[in-house]
Amino acid sequence: MSPRRRDAESTAAARAERRAELLATAAEVFASRGYAATTVREVAEAADMLGGSLYYHFDSKESMVDEILSAFLTELWAAYDKVTGSGLGARETFEALIVESFRTIHRHRPAVVIYQNESKHLATSPRFSYLTESQRRFREMWLAVLDRGVTDGVFRADLDTGLIYRFIRDTVWLAASWYRGDGRLPAEEIARQYIAMVLEGILTT
Amino acid sequence: MSPRRRDAESTAAARAERRAELLATAAEVFASRGYAATTVREVAEAADMLGGSLYYHFDSKESMVDEILSAFLTELWAAYDKVTGSGLGARETFEALIVESFRTIHRHRPAVVIYQNESKHLATSPRFSYLTESQRRFREMWLAVLDRGVTDGVFRADLDTGLIYRFIRDTVWLAASWYRGDGRLPAEEIARQYIAMVLEGILTT
Amino acid sequence: MSPRRRDAESTAAARAERRAELLATAAEVFASRGYAATTVREVAEAADMLGGSLYYHFDSKESMVDEILSAFLTELWAAYDKVTGSGLGARETFEALIVESFRTIHRHRPAVVIYQNESKHLATSPRFSYLTESQRRFREMWLAVLDRGVTDGVFRADLDTGLIYRFIRDTVWLAASWYRGDGRLPAEEIARQYIAMVLEGILTT
Amino acid sequence: MSPRRRDAESTAAARAERRAELLATAAEVFASRGYAATTVREVAEAADMLGGSLYYHFDSKESMVDEILSAFLTELWAAYDKVTGSGLGARETFEALIVESFRTIHRHRPAVVIYQNESKHLATSPRFSYLTESQRRFREMWLAVLDRGVTDGVFRADLDTGLIYRFIRDTVWLAASWYRGDGRLPAEEIARQYIAMVLEGILTT
DNA sequence: GATGAATGAGCTTTCATTCAT
DNA sequence: AATGAATGAAAGCTCATTCAT
């Protein structure tokens, strides 16, 4: 490996690292103030620079949320795919998905908040069509698990699975709004209690 | 009643009605596009007027959300207070509160959506301090019901009531985002299924 | 005189009186808040009506100032012309003009304030060309008196008459800004002291 | 001096210089068109920029007048304080104050015009309370000089000093409206003739 | 004569974005 | 990489004016 190449690599790596840093900062600000209500100046200030300087790193404000959300969704689906591809039963799949969701909230809290608050609005633009697509997959995945559970006689048959899906979706993602990693309840414990509450309600007894 | 008085009354009534109409329109638009992202011109357009004309009826964009939210909260608390003042047991209170919540969503859907999406941000301004206050009361009310249920042996003691409170809060209010009054599921049926799901999970068996 | 004609006359008279009332009110408001900074609504409010109602009486906000100023100037020039046509000497003319000026201020205080504050700005519009014309006549009249006084050996020759003219003009009209008819100093006493000061100076002799 | 420090200094200096330039332009426009009647766009145009660009340098239109007026008053009072602190007699103080006033007009003509035309209106806002305060000090200072002159037998006792103060104040500051630095009469000559007129009168003796 | 609702132009201000340095 | 000045579109809001009643 030539020194030249090493330089190029370390430069590229340093640049990527800087981007990641800036995106983390931006995500924090977008999450706390709301995307539309946050100015580029505020993001820059949080990163100790001036407004114009961000444009060296990013094309636009929109491209920042874009990167934040797509990075989060990519990682989320990697985790989900691993679970659904493991050949677990309906109940075990249900539990594993809940646990993965709370783990993701733990690692990507600001991104989850942004996703929760802004995705409906952003999704109207073609650039963010992947948000709609993700939501569709999300719905299919959960309905499949719930329906399989009903078919297998594991979940109650007298409740509307569409309704249950919505309740689960809402609680899980809204948890990002109040979840604090430093609280007395770690992500795993929240997942455990959440599973206990929901499962013992929808299970046949 | 003199004609003069009748005139004054009908004029004042007509004005109040017009305000209500405009507020309903504004609420719809704020709910669907987001308060910050909605322009006054858009609200006016939805009401078939020009931007400036709205200012004959309202002081500012802010005063519109203010009226929308406070009208909704006033009605909501009237319903809640009636329930909590009826001397019902923990479980019956729980059920009645859920039913009232879904009924309010049915009648004030756009206001609920706005409340859900914007109140965190709006509450930072002194003008909207009643939002914070309402949230505090809301929390106290639910915790009281849940704790009483635990004490009375009606609700399970091994779950964190703070956590349960949050799950309930999030699911109930977020329901406004997807609820459509014209759907196959009326508010009462949604409430019934929701109660079934949650209660049979947190009840001692 | 037919009753019909009397009605028409009394109606016309009543209308003229109402206009005069409204103009007096408007002058007061324009004088205290400034013409540009005063809204039509404020004028109307001071006259106990709604904004639109003024347009029954007047074409526009501009036509109100127009009437206020031209009425004032008409009366002022009638008084001035009487003085300059009386064949008085330079000093007596000087004194008489000062006295008439303060009398006009006494009767038309708000109009004078408006004239002082706004005429420079208004005069740029063709509609108000009479303001420029009036100012020109005013200058000519005073310079004639002062120059005649110098020629006659009544006024000092070592002072620039253009400068003296300006000083007189400024002090006399600005007096409207602080003059209050109810004060301890009536218009005539102010005129007397003013004349004494300008003619003889403030030094002891 | 390190290069870094020099850079910082020259940058800060350049910025201050630019602000001063823009303020001078704004003062010119405010003075000629009136503050309320001047639009921000007009100020910007006079400075060869677009309306929004001014907001990089100033918070608001109001903050521009604020800076213009307070800079002028600061300098004016520095000059006045020097005079009144010199232990001169009443007549010499009088003359020196007049001279300083005309010198200030010479250097700050637009600011003086703005002060004259707008301060009454601006002073109602707390932000401009210093205008009221300045006017109070101004009155006290002049009355002290005039009263001392009367006591010392230098000034006539048969004239109302309150009245004289007002005449002096009005003429001196209104002079800014017509004074042109390029005219045949320099500030000092105007001051000389003005002093002669007020002290000795315009009559031949 | 007056009301009240609406108009529409124009204002101050904000803010994402650009670009020379 | 970052600065700082400027752009220009668009926002919230004001206000003189109109007009049916």
Side-chain angles (χ1 to χ4, degrees), chain C residues 38-40 55 60-61:
Chain C
T38 299
T39 71
V40 171
Y55 286 82
S60 63
K61 186 186 175 188

Side-chain angles (χ1 to χ4, degrees), chain B residues 38-40 55 61:
Chain B
T38 299
T39 71
V40 171
Y55 288 84
K61 186 186 173 187

Side-chain angles (χ1 to χ4, degrees), chain A residues 17-32:
Chain A
E17 202 178 338
R18 186 76 175 111
R19 278 177 78 86
E21 257 177 57
L22 293 172
L23 283 175
T25 304
E28 212 89 53
V29 184
F30 287 153
S32 76

Side-chain angles (χ1 to χ4, degrees), chain A residues 38-40 52 55 60-61:
Chain A
T38 300
T39 71
V40 171
Y55 287 81
S60 65
K61 187 186 174 186

Side-chain angles (χ1 to χ4, degrees), chain B residues 140-183:
Chain B
E140 266 176 21
M141 181 188 75
W142 276 104
L143 285 181
V145 174
L146 294 171
D147 285 338
R148 183 149 61 98
V150 171
T151 306
D152 295 354
V154 185
F155 297 150
R156 288 167 61 174
D158 64 329
L159 297 178
D160 186 299
T161 49
L163 213 56
I164 295 174
Y165 151 70
R166 283 192 184 106
F167 287 135
I168 290 170
R169 177 195 64 187
D170 295 348
T171 27
V172 168
W173 298 120
L174 251 196
S177 303
W178 51 261
Y179 177 71
R180 289 291 169 276
D182 55 352

Side-chain angles (χ1 to χ4, degrees), chain B residues 7-159:
Chain B
D7 274 11
E9 254 177 36
S10 70
T11 303
R15 180 182 291 220
E17 203 178 336
R18 186 76 175 110
R19 277 177 79 86
E21 256 177 59
L22 293 171
L23 284 175
T25 304
E28 211 89 52
V29 184
F30 287 154
S32 77
R33 300 218 231 291
Y35 172 69
T38 299
T39 71
V40 171
R41 268 173 174 85
E42 284 168 339
V43 173
E45 207 163 292
D48 265 316
M49 0 164 83
L50 293 179
S53 306
L54 275 177
Y55 288 84
Y56 179 79
H57 302 276
F58 304 99
D59 284 346
S60 63
K61 186 186 173 187
E62 209 181 35
S63 79
M64 292 185 223
V65 225
D66 194 349
E67 276 197 53
I68 291 166
L69 292 178
S70 52
F72 148 62
L73 285 177
T74 301
E75 198 176 315
L76 176 67
W77 280 105
Y80 280 171
D81 287 345
K82 204 168 171 186
V83 169
T84 54
S86 310
L88 298 171
R91 179 181 168 151
E92 288 73 27
T93 302
F94 179 97
E95 295 194 14
L97 289 176
I98 296 288
V99 169
E100 282 309 329
S101 298
F102 280 101
R103 278 198 186 129
T104 302
I105 289 173
H106 184 67
R107 279 198 305 270
H108 287 277
R109 206 187 57 79
V112 175
V113 173
I114 297 167
Y115 179 74
Q116 182 71 27
N117 292 333
E118 323 286 355
S119 70
K120 202 183 71 181
H121 189 238
L122 291 173
T124 60
S125 145
R127 170 172 205 167
F128 292 94
S129 61
Y130 64 86
L131 292 175
T132 313
E133 173 59 13
S134 175
Q135 207 166 22
R136 196 190 52 70
R137 279 185 70 193
F138 195 87
R139 184 169 198 276
E140 266 176 21
M141 181 188 75
W142 276 104
L143 285 181
V145 174
L146 294 171
D147 285 338
R148 183 149 61 98
V150 171
T151 306
D152 295 354
V154 185
F155 297 150
R156 288 167 61 174
D158 64 329
L159 297 178

Side-chain angles (χ1 to χ4, degrees), chain D residues 159-179:
Chain D
L159 297 177
D160 186 302
T161 50
L163 215 54
I164 295 173
Y165 150 69
R166 284 194 182 105
F167 287 134
I168 291 171
R169 176 195 64 185
D170 295 348
T171 27
V172 167
W173 296 121
L174 253 197
S177 302
W178 51 262
Y179 177 72

